[in-house]
């Protein structure tokens, strides 16, 4: 696109913005098309679901840590799911595990993380007025909200919510008569997930289109912040993998309701043979994990993108290996689609096929290691500023290392036979995916809170929140590795049935106590978040002295983000502590011609080109003014 056409398009965009109507309460806060408000809607909804999901985990940790304790004090909440002695119903225990996994993976770490920051940051950081389609963006949130309503209703039905683990493998999920959690609760789970996937696809299409088409002048792909690269590639992964889960769910609905046999064959219930033949439950596993493993990176990549931005800003250093970071994210994106069967090493697959998936799984550790080394090198000898966001980002790197190392064990098909479906797996993915991504979410909230609400969160409360959560997470999940190596399986209601597990009773009690303390610590964040929203110290325009475009908007940007023209970008986003520069940061909007004292040799060559473009821009503006 020529300079003249860019400028005329920009002028038309600004004219449209000038005539924007004033929103009322409903169009501003509820059915809004403003990407910033939609991001906040995703965030608040995600926080609500995080509390629900966390509370469910406390319920089953009470059962695991204190199996002989009466939960009579919870009867007003759990009602008939407690027996006369106050013990938890085993079927409901399985439903708790199922709903905890579903809520945390999809509603919190997918919608709460990617939905919040992709919506909030993409237009602000690429220099766009809004998303490509504001209406589609609004639909994306309300599909997510509808999905949440259906899932929430399933918690209160008489037969209980879905049971069978968050992966809902058939035949348990395909036969309504199997257990109470296979009935109406499972149907509602499938409906909710279908609505959720519709939300994710609408959002993903919007994110991709916006990044490709609506970047401001000068914002080439080589000048995009790593946050935008992460959100862009996350949307690509979701767009290609989520439809496969829709297919899996659709076939499951057919098996449940229309008598088909995609996943069912040779099933006996109470000695009576069912008519289903020819199906294979392993087919479902292939379809589910074709989404399930990319889902790990749908959850993780946005958190890694946020961490890149926060660490660079608070190290006062350029991010180390910008191009290597992009290439590693591209590598992860591609490899995430061809490693899914490492979840299925014990499903009876051909050992030769298992060795191929093992090889590919170990290869994906390479781009992940590149990211870790680049984070550590950025931190090395940096002028570190330990804001709460920085601490949570460093915490993410810690979890990514410790949780990633255990993935090497599980990626080995021979070792996985011993460790599969034990608490070792639980410890691994809660560290590398769950806790790491959750820390990325918290880092993002602490860092961009001033831009969201125009106020600062309390730093001291942020520090207390970090240390309690960081230590608590390790206290919960580190001991689980030892329980898993000893062979105790996941999703079991009680430890007391096995003599070999009795030696781990104290350790299990310790894990449960740590989980309760860690969950309680999140209420510090909750108070800080909502209190600071209204009573926090007022923020300055650029409190972190950051380079990216979102900090060039007004303190409370309206719908359209910039009141006048969208700023032009002249440099990459990581010019921190540049030798010769007057300050330790140079925003992307500062022309190279304005900083001759700090320009590198290749940048001096760009100054001439920059001057020519600015001259052309002036001519276009003069021509437009003469027309008016």
């Amino acid at each position: 696109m020529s300079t003249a056409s860019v400028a005329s398009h920009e002028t038309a965009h600004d004219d449209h913005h000038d005539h924007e109507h004033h929103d009322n309460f409903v169009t501003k806060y509820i059915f809004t098309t403003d990407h910033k408000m939609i991001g906040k809607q995703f965030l608040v909804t995600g926080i609500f679901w995080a509390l629900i999901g966390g509370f469910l985990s406390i319920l089953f940790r009470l059962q695991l840590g204190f199996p002989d304790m009466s939960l009579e004090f919870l009867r007003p909440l759990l009602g008939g799911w407690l027996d006369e002695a106050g013990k938890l119903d085993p079927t409901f225990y399985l439903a708790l595990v199922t709903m905890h996994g579903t809520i945390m993976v999809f509603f919190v770490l997918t919608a709460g993380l990617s939905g919040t920051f992709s919506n909030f940051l993409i237009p602000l950081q690429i220099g766009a007025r809004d998303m490509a389609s504001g209406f589609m963006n609004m639909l994306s949130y309300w599909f997510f909200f509808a999905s949440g309503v259906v899932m929430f209703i399933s918690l209160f039905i008489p037969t209980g919510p879905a049971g069978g683990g968050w992966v809902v493998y058939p035949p348990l999920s395909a036969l309504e008569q199997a257990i109470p959690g296979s009935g109406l609760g499972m149907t509602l789970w499938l409906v909710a997930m279908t609505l959720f996937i519709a939300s994710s696809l609408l959002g993903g299409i919007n994110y991709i289109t916006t990044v490709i088409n609506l970047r401001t002048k000068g914002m080439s792909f080589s000048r995009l912040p790593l946050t935008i690269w992460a959100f862009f590639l996350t949307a690509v992964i979701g767009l290609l993998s989520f439809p496969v889960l829709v297919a899996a769910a659709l076939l499951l609905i057919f098996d449940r309701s229309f008598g088909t046999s995609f996943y069912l064959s040779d099933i006996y219930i109470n000695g009576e043979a069912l008519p289903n033949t020819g199906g294979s439950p392993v087919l479902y596993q292939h379809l589910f994990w074709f989404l399930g493993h990319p889902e790990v990176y749908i959850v993780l990549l946005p958190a890694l993108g946020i961490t890149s931005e926060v660490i660079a800003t608070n190290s006062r250093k350029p991010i180390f290996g910008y191009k290597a970071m992009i290439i590693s994210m591209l590598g992860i994106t591609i490899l995430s689609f061809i490693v899914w069967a490492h979840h299925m090493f014990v499903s009876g697959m051909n050992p030769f096929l298992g060795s191929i998936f093992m090889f590919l799984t170990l290869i994906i550790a390479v781009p992940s290691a590149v990211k870790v080394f680049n984070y550590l090198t950025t931190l090395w000898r940096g002028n570190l500023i330990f804001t709460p966001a920085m601490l949570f980002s460093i915490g993410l790197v810690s979890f990514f290392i410790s949780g990633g190392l255990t993935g090497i064990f599980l990626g080995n098909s021979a070792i996985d036979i011993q460790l599969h479906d034990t608490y070792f797996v639980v410890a691994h993915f809660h560290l590398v995916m769950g806790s790491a991504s959750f820390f990325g979410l918290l880092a993002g909230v602490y860092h961009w809170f001033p831009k969201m609400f125009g106020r600062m969160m309390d730093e001291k409360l942020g520090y207390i929140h970090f240390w309690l959560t960081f230590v608590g997470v390790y206290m919960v999940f580190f001991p689980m590795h030892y329980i898993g190596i000893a062979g105790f399986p996941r999703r079991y209601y009680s430890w007391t049935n096995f003599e070999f597990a009795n030696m781990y009773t104290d350790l299990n009690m310790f894990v449960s106590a740590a989980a309760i303390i860690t969950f309680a610590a999140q209420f510090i964040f909750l108070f800080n978040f909502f209190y600071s929203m209204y009573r926090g110290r007022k923020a300055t325009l650029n409190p972190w002295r950051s380079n990216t475009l979102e900090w060039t908007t007004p303190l409370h940007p309206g719908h359209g983000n910039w009141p006048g023209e969208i700023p032009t970008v002249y440099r990459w986003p990581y010019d921190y502590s540049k030798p010769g520069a007057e300050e330790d940061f140079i925003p992307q909007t500062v022309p190279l011609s304005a900083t001759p004292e700090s320009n590198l040799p290749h940048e001096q060559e760009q100054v001439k080109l920059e001057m020519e473009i600015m001259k052309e821009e002036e001519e276009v503006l003069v021509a437009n003014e003469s027309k008016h």
Side-chain angles (χ1 to χ4, degrees):
M1 191 183 279
S2 70
T3 307
S5 60
V6 167
S8 61
H9 169 75
E10 183 67 28
T11 306
H13 205 156
D14 285 341
D15 287 345
H16 168 75
H17 176 62
D18 290 339
H19 297 295
E20 189 184 291
H21 66 278
H22 293 287
D23 290 330
N24 58 37
F25 180 83
V26 172
T27 56
K28 185 174 182 181
Y29 294 106
I30 302 174
F31 297 110
T32 179
T33 56
D34 183 353
H35 71 98
K36 299 182 293 299
M37 187 56 68
I38 292 170
K40 293 175 196 176
Q41 288 176 328
F42 270 105
L43 177 59
V44 173
T45 312
I47 289 171
F48 167 79
W49 278 112
L51 290 173
I52 299 286
F55 178 68
L56 298 182
S57 70
I58 296 304
L59 290 178
F60 62 72
R61 278 312 321 177
L62 283 172
Q63 166 61 35
L64 286 168
F66 312 97
D68 298 323
M69 184 175 77
S70 170
L71 299 178
E72 192 63 40
F73 66 96
L74 289 172
R75 190 172 293 280
L77 185 67
L78 299 179
W81 296 112
L82 295 176
D83 62 18
E84 291 178 4
K87 299 291 178 63
L88 200 63
D89 182 275
T91 309
F92 189 64
Y93 172 84
L94 185 57
L96 288 174
V97 174
T98 304
M99 296 304 287
H100 166 74
T102 303
I103 287 166
M104 290 311 223
V105 170
F106 294 111
F107 287 10
V108 179
L109 296 177
T110 302
L113 175 53
S114 188
T116 297
F117 291 104
S118 295
N119 272 304
F120 190 80
L121 290 178
I122 286 176
L124 286 171
Q125 289 198 334
I126 68 170
R129 294 290 183 202
D130 206 319
M131 285 291 181
S133 169
F135 179 72
M136 191 185 285
N137 211 14
M138 179 185 76
L139 277 183
S140 170
Y141 173 73
W142 285 105
F143 266 108
F144 167 50
F145 187 84
S147 165
V149 168
V150 174
M151 197 69 83
F152 191 70
I153 288 169
S154 77
L155 293 170
F156 300 98
I157 58 174
T159 52
W166 76 279
V167 294
V168 296
Y169 281 172
L172 199 58
S173 59
L175 298 169
E176 294 189 21
Q177 65 270 44
I179 57 171
S182 301
L184 178 59
M186 185 62 69
T187 304
L188 291 174
W189 188 95
L190 290 165
V191 171
M193 285 310 300
T194 306
L195 290 168
F196 177 83
I197 293 166
S199 162
S200 295
L201 294 178
L202 285 166
I205 292 166
N206 223 356
Y207 307 151
I208 292 166
T209 308
T210 306
V211 171
I212 291 174
N213 292 312
L214 296 185
R215 286 167 288 127
T216 189
K217 193 167 174 191
M219 182 63 84
S220 61
F221 272 91
S222 61
R223 288 175 176 171
L224 286 176
L226 289 172
T227 39
I228 303 301
W229 273 106
F231 300 148
F232 176 71
L233 294 173
T234 299
V236 170
I237 295 173
L239 205 60
L240 295 175
S241 61
F242 267 121
V244 180
L245 185 60
V246 176
L250 192 64
L251 299 185
L252 191 55
I253 290 168
F254 280 5
D255 275 13
R256 287 172 59 81
S257 305
F258 301 110
T260 57
S261 300
F262 291 107
Y263 305 134
L264 298 172
S265 185
D266 307 316
I267 304 287
Y268 291 82
I269 292 184
N270 295 328
E272 183 183 339
L274 298 184
N276 307 82
T277 54
S280 169
V282 176
L283 168 63
Y284 175 87
Q285 291 189 35
H286 279 292
L287 292 173
F288 180 87
W289 287 115
F290 190 83
L291 159 88
H293 200 79
E295 171 64 21
V296 170
Y297 295 101
I298 290 171
V299 163
L300 200 50
L301 277 181
L304 294 173
I306 288 167
T307 296
S308 302
E309 183 65 30
V310 173
I311 285 181
T313 302
N314 290 292
S315 297
R316 312 313 291 168
K317 274 178 68 178
I319 192 79
F320 184 85
Y322 174 79
K323 287 181 181 175
M325 292 290 248
I326 295 169
I327 292 166
S328 67
M329 283 195 283
L330 285 166
I332 286 170
T333 300
I334 295 163
L335 288 168
S336 70
F337 285 100
I338 50 176
V339 296
W340 79 88
H342 67 217
H343 296 270
M344 301 167 57
F345 284 147
V346 297
S347 66
M349 69 161 57
N350 186 313
F352 176 70
L353 192 61
S355 66
I356 291 171
F357 277 102
M358 179 180 82
F359 174 68
L360 292 168
T361 299
L362 297 178
I363 282 179
I364 207 171
V366 175
S368 302
V370 168
K371 295 193 77 64
V372 167
F373 286 129
N374 285 6
Y375 288 139
L376 296 178
T377 316
T378 305
L379 290 166
W380 178 250
R381 293 192 174 177
N383 201 1
L384 304 184
I385 303 167
F386 290 108
T387 63
M390 180 66 155
L391 290 174
F392 276 102
S393 294
I394 294 169
L396 179 151
V397 176
S398 171
F399 294 148
F400 198 50
I401 294 169
S402 54
L405 287 173
T406 55
I408 295 171
F409 295 91
L410 294 170
N412 185 308
S413 55
I415 298 173
D416 186 63
I417 292 169
Q418 162 71 9
L419 298 176
H420 186 82
D421 257 354
T422 67
Y423 269 82
F424 192 91
V425 179
V426 177
H428 159 70
F429 76 75
H430 274 84
L431 278 179
V432 79
M433 182 185 84
S435 301
S437 301
F438 192 65
F439 268 45
L441 170 63
L442 291 169
V445 172
Y446 279 106
H447 190 73
W448 279 287
F449 190 89
K451 182 48 58 185
M452 288 182 177
F453 301 105
R455 293 181 181 271
M456 307 292 288
M457 292 182 78
D458 186 276
E459 274 201 345
K460 287 180 181 174
L461 288 178
Y463 294 142
I464 296 167
H465 175 221
F466 168 75
W467 286 111
L468 284 175
T469 308
F470 180 72
V471 174
V473 165
Y474 270 125
M475 285 166 68
V476 170
F477 298 114
F478 211 81
M480 283 188 188
H481 291 94
Y482 299 103
I483 300 168
I485 290 169
F488 196 81
R490 300 166 65 179
R491 304 192 183 101
Y492 271 47
Y493 165 76
S494 173
W495 302 77
T496 52
N497 303 334
F498 303 95
E499 198 171 324
F500 80 90
N502 286 338
M503 71 176 82
Y504 293 106
T505 304
D506 291 345
L507 198 57
N508 218 26
M509 206 178 291
F510 174 81
V511 168
S512 291
I516 292 165
I517 293 167
T518 308
F519 179 67
Q522 305 321 302
F523 286 91
I524 298 170
F525 166 76
L526 208 62
F527 169 79
N528 196 359
F529 181 83
F530 287 105
Y531 180 83
S532 300
M533 197 186 294
Y534 298 102
R535 298 288 181 88
R537 180 167 52 87
K538 285 189 177 177
T540 55
L541 276 179
N542 189 357
W544 314 124
R545 295 161 62 82
S546 191
N547 291 340
T548 41
L549 283 181
E550 73 270 27
W551 305 106
T552 64
T553 63
L555 191 59
H556 296 283
H559 193 172
N561 299 332
W562 288 269
E565 287 190 18
I566 298 174
T568 302
V569 167
Y570 297 98
R571 57 180 75 230
W572 78 323
Y574 299 110
D575 269 342
Y576 292 107
S577 302
K578 204 172 181 185
E582 292 177 8
E583 296 208 57
D584 70 348
F585 73 110
I586 309 174
Q588 286 188 282
T589 53
V590 175
L592 291 166
S593 55
T595 56
E597 70 282 351
S598 64
N599 288 346
L600 301 172
H602 74 276
E603 290 173 330
Q604 290 288 16
E605 294 169 14
Q606 294 175 28
V607 172
K608 290 180 183 177
L609 180 63
E610 188 182 279
M611 298 295 280
E612 287 174 17
I613 291 170
M614 288 167 78
K615 189 178 177 182
E616 277 185 40
E617 278 180 358
E618 282 178 21
E619 290 171 2
V620 171
L621 282 171
V622 169
N624 284 333
E625 282 173 10
S626 62
K627 282 180 186 177
H628 287 296

